[in-house]
Amino acid sequence: QVQLVESGGGLVQPGGSLRLSCAVSTSLFSIDVMGWYRQTPGTERRLVATITSGGRTYYGNSMKGRVVISRDNAKNTVYLQMNSLKPEDTAVYYCYAPEGRWGQGTQVTVSS
């Protein structure tokens, strides 16, 4: 069973940057698509970005232009580089793999 562990969250000032990491327990070469989602209290989990095994990316509207998703199949790790962060980006960020597999989430707080 695939296990996902996110890291890299924390407190950052508006306009700052963070890079989130998702460590995958199985070979990333065998996983067609990976994604990042986020969720704030009282809201549904929403798509941030996805990336296929071939490197094709898709971005949701919420952070388009401010984030870059990437994957290193050899290291079994998926990344989310976040720039120009805003207070409304404050959320728990989750790594996703097919068949409804989620990590535990990592908290990102954007505040001055």
Side-chain angles (χ1 to χ4, degrees):
Q1 189 171 46
V2 176
Q3 296 182 47
L4 310 172
V5 180
E6 301 97 333
S7 63
L11 176 65
V12 64
Q13 294 185 352
S17 299
L18 284 174
R19 188 176 77 159
L20 307 182
S21 298
C22 174
V24 184
S25 64
T26 61
S27 175
L28 202 52
F29 289 103
S30 66
I31 302 179
D32 291 337
V33 61
M34 297 288 298
W36 284 96
Y37 289 70
R38 71 182 190 183
Q39 186 172 23
T40 57
T43 70
E44 294 183 319
R45 198 167 295 183
R46 298 177 181 176
L47 175 69
V48 175
T50 62
I51 184 167
T52 68
S53 60
R56 180 176 294 183
T57 58
Y58 173 84
Y59 295 94
N61 291 329
S62 61
M63 302 185 77
K64 185 179 294 184
R66 299 188 293 118
V67 295
V68 176
I69 187 171
S70 61
R71 61 193 285 171
D72 188 333
N73 292 336
K75 295 183 178 180
N76 293 339
T77 304
V78 182
Y79 303 97
L80 184 71
Q81 177 67 47
M82 306 188 295
N83 306 307
S84 302
L85 288 166
K86 306 173 182 179
E88 53 262 43
D89 296 322
T90 296
V92 178
Y93 286 73
Y94 295 90
C95 186
Y96 168 85
E99 300 183 47
R101 305 184 192 278
W102 300 94
Q104 83 287 350
T106 184
Q107 175 71 46
V108 172
T109 301
V110 184
S111 177
S112 59

